[in-house]
Amino acid sequence: MASMLIAGEKTEGSAGEGIDVVDPATEAVIETVPRGTAADVDAAVQAAHKAFASWSRTDAEERATLLRKAIALIERDRKELTLSLVHEQGKPVTEAGGEIHHLIHGLNYYADLATKVKGSYHELPSALSKAYGMVIRRPMGVVAAIVPNNFPLTLLGTKLAPALMAGNTIVVKPAATTPLTTLKIADLLLEAGFPAGVINVITGRGSEVGDALVTHDLVRRVAFTGSTAVGRHIMGLAAPKLKRMTMELGGSDPVIVTADANVKAAARGIAIGRFWNCGQMCLGGKRVYVFDEVYDELMEQLTRTVAKYEPGLGWEKSEKPNIRVGPLHTADGRAELREQFQDALDGGGELVLGGDDIEGKGYFVQPTIVANPAQDSRVAREETFGPLLPVWRVSNLDEAIDRANDSEYGLGASVWTNDVRIIHRVANEVDAGMKWVNQFHYGYDELPFGGVKQSGYGKEHGAEGLDYYLEDTAVVVGGLE
Ligand code: NAP
Ligand code: MG
């Protein structure tokens, strides 16, 4: 059995039981991790709280140096970490390598920012005496980081790095199905010299350890990435304790392709954006609205591109370049996607590509494209978390923007056009936290990212991501001559 990390010690936890971790491509058990309990959560939070007393007083330069040492160790073990991610998550080895690259890039970004936190100075009107004001930026305390299963490492990094660089300590709860590479990364942080208790990892089920973590009195800040349903549940739990929270939730990003678009580039971008990570993206064009004038051409190019995407075993990607999608991450996820697909057909959608079941072991599905399903079908209203793409024909920009906004989600959105007036309208009128023009949906470390509407609130990435781990504290210094 693998071990959790609490107070710098490896432990199998208080329950003495394990949870199996399954390779979604083979359905074989690859490892067992401890089934964490509320008692383990308490031990981890207490350790983080204790470590905060000295960690919060360390020099920012020292914190950055430690993170850079950890980055060097991640680079040293990059191959092993990549394969570990392939086997627990399912993604092809090139995509797993890309995720490690993105993790390292993000960690470096916050190592660089650690020493650049700024406060402010303010002249104040004299009251009892002459005075001035300062705004200083203080770390918060213990951070609870809850991470989903689709990008276990980058979404760990977007929490861990700003939290630690700001001087907080952290308790991480990876998804029950993707704990293994996270545990390896935590070990590397320890090897780099991060003091015991500064980073702790609790494995186990969200319903058990997650609830205990977000309601713990000593947790000051909850960083959650996951589905909107679980996000709502966690917000409810944490509300009575008024925890600081960021909620990075689900999405159903619209993509608009206008009459003047570079159709070839759009087809390529849409294909990458929808089928990367077997379609299990928060950000990702999940509803495509195409102007009449270019609809046939786009469909032809898109279909031709996606028809080449073969599902396969992630670790065989190097020898078989046509493997472009791994399996879905869970059997439940596959069952739900099938229902959404059937609903799209029942609502008049035309099957353009894929759609067949794939027999045998592993939660594989064929990349699938459906044209013009009913506007109230599930693929239009819900998040589709897999390689299923609905495409609709629209007549003009007003219709495209109306349809794009006809969703409870507001994570990302994009437009393919070279017309500056269209860019201006989409930038200002589509409800989404991040927008792309002539690009597929990708979260840059340099830019703040977070949703609106039911996609949540708060930002990760960018300098803003660091702000969410600092408390602005106003200090008035009086009694001056
Ligand atoms: P999920 O089912 O919501 O789980 C996310 C995390 O929450 C997991 O660690 C899960 O643990 C934990 N959890 C479950 N129940 C909990 C509870 N009662 N208390 C505390 N924690 C609990 O999401 P997922 O299936 O892993 O990931 C897919 C979803 O994440 C999609 O909706 C996707 O759009 C969203 N996502 C959003 C972003 C973004 O930045 N906005 C990025 C990536 C993914 P268990 O695994 O043990 O259940
Ligand atoms: Mg889930």
Side-chain angles (χ1 to χ4, degrees):
M1 181 148 78
S3 302
M4 301 191 284
L5 183 65
I6 300 178
E9 301 289 333
K10 294 192 168 219
T11 164
E12 296 196 349
S14 60
E17 280 175 30
I19 297 179
D20 289 342
V21 180
V22 168
D23 185 329
T26 61
E27 300 180 43
V29 174
I30 47 173
E31 180 57 287
T32 303
V33 293
R35 200 201 96 209
T37 63
D40 299 323
V41 167
D42 184 51
V45 175
Q46 297 283 356
H49 181 67
K50 193 165 162 233
F52 179 72
S54 48
W55 180 249
S56 57
R57 291 186 175 86
T58 49
D59 202 285
E61 192 80 46
E62 186 186 331
R63 298 199 291 271
T65 301
L66 279 176
L67 187 55
R68 290 201 180 93
K69 279 189 186 154
I71 293 166
L73 297 175
I74 292 170
E75 276 169 346
R76 181 196 69 192
D77 292 355
R78 189 193 282 256
K79 253 193 170 150
E80 183 202 334
L81 295 168
T82 301
L83 267 186
S84 166
L85 183 59
V86 169
H87 283 287
E88 68 176 337
Q89 207 285 331
K91 61 188 74 190
V93 75
T94 39
E95 296 190 8
E99 184 167 347
I100 306 262
H101 173 79
H102 198 174
L103 168 74
I104 290 171
H105 191 267
L107 297 182
N108 268 314
Y109 183 83
Y110 287 109
D112 289 348
L113 275 191
T115 53
K116 292 162 192 73
V117 172
K118 284 192 283 189
S120 57
Y121 165 87
H122 304 262
E123 293 284 344
L124 297 177
S126 297
L128 271 181
S129 65
K130 221 168 154 354
Y132 66 88
M134 296 183 291
V135 179
I136 61 169
R137 324 277 314 276
R138 299 290 310 137
M140 294 170 167
V142 179
V143 173
I146 302 178
V147 185
N149 62 43
N150 60 340
F151 293 99
L153 301 189
T154 48
L155 295 168
L156 167 71
T158 56
K159 297 165 182 59
L160 181 91
L164 299 188
M165 291 305 94
N168 303 284
T169 56
I170 197 164
V171 178
V172 177
K173 196 215 91 62
T177 50
T178 52
L180 301 177
T181 322
T182 301
L183 288 168
K184 291 182 204 294
I185 301 268
D187 284 350
L188 295 178
L189 262 76
L190 218 57
E191 187 182 335
F194 278 87
V198 169
I199 168 167
N200 307 270
V201 182
I202 296 282
T203 55
R205 298 200 179 91
S207 51
E208 196 170 358
V209 292
D211 285 15
L213 189 56
V214 296
T215 55
H216 198 294
D217 281 328
L218 292 176
V219 168
R220 292 283 305 279
R221 160 85 165 86
V222 177
F224 176 77
T225 303
S227 61
T228 297
V230 174
R232 277 191 197 109
H233 169 78
I234 286 176
M235 256 189 95
L237 286 177
K241 305 215 167 139
L242 297 167
K243 310 261 187 219
R244 298 282 186 276
M245 308 188 91
T246 41
M247 288 279 144
E248 305 289 346
L249 308 180
S252 179
D253 295 3
V255 179
I256 298 172
V257 184
T258 66
D260 80 313
N262 176 337
V263 174
K264 193 171 168 206
R268 189 161 172 267
I270 290 167
I272 295 170
R274 169 74 282 207
F275 297 99
W276 190 265
N277 212 38
C278 196
Q280 299 161 114
M281 317 275 289
C282 52
L283 285 178
K286 297 176 185 171
R287 298 177 287 136
V288 178
Y289 300 105
V290 189
F291 279 37
D292 265 329
E293 295 88 333
V294 290
Y295 179 87
D296 291 336
E297 189 188 348
L298 181 98
M299 278 308 236
E300 195 268 321
Q301 301 226 16
L302 185 61
T303 312
R304 190 144 36 93
T305 304
V306 180
K308 293 185 202 133
Y309 287 12
E310 282 176 26
L313 303 172
W315 56 93
E316 289 187 348
K317 163 81 182 171
S318 320
E319 300 90 66
K320 299 183 184 169
N322 275 359
I323 295 179
R324 287 293 291 269
V325 281
L328 279 175
H329 184 60
T330 63
D332 285 352
R334 182 170 63 176
E336 180 159 24
L337 194 76
R338 276 190 181 142
E339 283 175 19
Q340 291 170 316
F341 168 59
Q342 192 54 50
D343 177 79
L345 297 186
D346 294 347
E350 177 206 342
L351 179 61
V352 176
L353 184 76
D356 293 331
D357 287 347
I358 295 180
E359 303 297 332
K361 287 282 182 199
Y363 314 128
F364 289 97
V365 287
Q366 277 194 333
T368 298
I369 299 175
V370 179
N372 301 299
Q375 290 191 39
D376 63 349
S377 61
R378 292 183 61 183
V379 291
R381 285 183 289 108
E382 300 174 2
E383 174 172 51
T384 47
F385 212 58
L388 169 60
L389 183 63
V391 182
W392 288 271
R393 200 188 265 277
V394 292
S395 325
N396 55 49
L397 191 60
D398 286 336
E399 185 188 357
I401 291 177
D402 280 352
R403 303 270 292 275
N405 283 339
D406 186 16
S407 167
E408 67 174 24
Y409 293 108
L411 199 55
S414 62
V415 62
W416 293 82
T417 183
N418 291 304
D419 184 332
V420 71
R421 292 161 304 181
I422 295 178
I423 295 171
H424 183 76
R425 282 198 60 193
V426 170
N428 286 285
E429 293 176 32
V430 175
D431 303 330
M434 188 160 182
K435 291 159 198 178
W436 296 259
V437 179
N438 301 330
Q439 279 246 29
F440 61 83
H441 302 195
Y442 177 78
Y444 291 87
D445 291 316
E446 295 78 2
L447 291 175
F449 164 65
V452 299
K453 291 160 77 175
Q454 302 292 301
S455 293
Y457 61 85
K459 302 292 180 194
E460 288 196 335
H461 299 284
E464 291 82 351
L466 189 63
D467 289 341
Y468 278 87
Y469 290 92
L470 290 161
E471 201 76 83
D472 282 358
T473 308
V475 180
V476 176
V477 180
L480 305 173
E481 292 302 315

